[in-house]
Amino acid sequence: MSATTPRIAVLGSGAGSNFVAVANAIAAGTLDATVVLVVSDYSNAGILKHAADRDLPHVFLDPGPNPNRFADEAQIELARLLREARADAIVCAGFMRVLKAPMLTEWAGRIINIHPSLLPQFRGRDAISQALAAGIPVTGCTVHLVTEEIDSGEILAQSEVPLLAGDTKETLTPRINAAERALYPSALQKWLHSPGSRNSE
Ligand code: GAR
């Protein structure tokens, strides 16, 4: 880590396997970044446990009373937490909430996400089931910038995963997750060390 090491905050709602891949890449020295905060909208999310195991700062953020909406108050509190942590860039790793202002305005161009399909195919929820239902031969995962329109920001990296005969969500999901874990750290290293991902103030 040096004075120029990017300070990243990681947002996640689930098991945290992508976060573990990112943390392991940092520990191995293949990703030059430091995790300044891990935030989850689920108090019992695996990602928080993984952060705790690594002694990294982590916090549960109450998303508000409506399970299908990320409350305005929560968006404001998230922006405050990330400001306080002096995050340079925000890494979504299985964060299942839609970000809006002030997050998208304050960190415009500095929020990155991984999505389990070859975007622009199968945006939104349950992209893996969408791919299976479509009966296509190849799906995969995409690293992209987060903008107002869901799963529509600039595509930074993709990895293909062929569907196999008889695939189900249970058999396909682990192969996509493995492709994500291989792709996200290297895509992050490239993006974080290119102009544009950091606060240029
Ligand atoms: C990953 O497959 C990620 O692509 C997906 O959630 C999973 C999180 O797994 N994200 C989305 O679907 C976002 N639209 P993880 O918690 O084990 O990293």
Side-chain angles (χ1 to χ4, degrees):
M1 192 173 78
S2 74
T4 58
T5 295
R7 299 169 60 85
I8 62 171
V10 184
L11 314 183
S13 305
S17 65
N18 279 287
F19 165 66
V20 168
V22 167
N24 287 349
I26 292 172
T30 53
L31 171 56
D32 178 30
T34 184
V35 176
V36 293
L37 188 62
V38 175
V39 183
S40 182
D41 55 330
Y42 284 91
S43 59
N44 60 353
I47 191 170
L48 291 180
K49 295 189 183 74
H50 288 300
D53 288 347
R54 288 165 173 74
D55 283 329
L56 291 169
H58 56 282
V59 63
F60 159 66
L61 172 67
D62 184 348
N66 183 338
N68 299 316
R69 225 182 141 261
F70 193 32
D72 290 349
E73 296 74 16
Q75 307 254 3
I76 291 166
E77 175 62 4
L78 179 57
R80 190 193 69 73
L81 287 166
L82 299 176
R83 213 178 294 129
E84 190 178 73
R86 295 188 294 114
D88 293 316
I90 316 304
V91 175
C92 298
F95 190 60
M96 305 310 258
R97 303 276 176 174
V98 178
L99 295 173
K100 297 191 304 187
M103 283 298 305
L104 287 186
T105 40
E106 203 166 331
W107 275 276
R110 292 188 288 138
I111 310 178
I112 193 170
N113 183 42
I114 188 152
H115 182 79
S117 76
L118 294 176
L119 289 173
Q121 285 186 314
F122 315 127
R123 295 183 171 119
R125 281 194 179 262
D126 212 352
I128 297 176
S129 297
Q130 291 185 56
L132 283 164
I136 43 151
V138 177
T139 184
C141 54
T142 301
V143 176
H144 67 97
L145 294 184
V146 174
T147 55
E148 208 158 322
E149 206 179 327
I150 292 173
D151 300 329
S152 299
E154 182 188 344
I155 291 173
L156 302 175
Q158 290 188 306
S159 176
E160 292 188 352
V161 177
L163 273 85
L164 304 178
D167 250 343
T168 62
K169 192 173 171 186
E170 286 63 42
T171 59
L172 178 56
T173 299
R175 298 207 309 283
I176 293 187
N177 285 157
E180 290 181 325
R181 293 195 300 273
L183 183 68
Y184 213 7
S186 59
L188 272 171
Q189 171 68 11
K190 198 168 163 202
W191 177 67
L192 286 168
H193 294 277
S194 68
S197 65
R198 309 283 291 273
N199 193 342
S200 54
E201 279 166 20

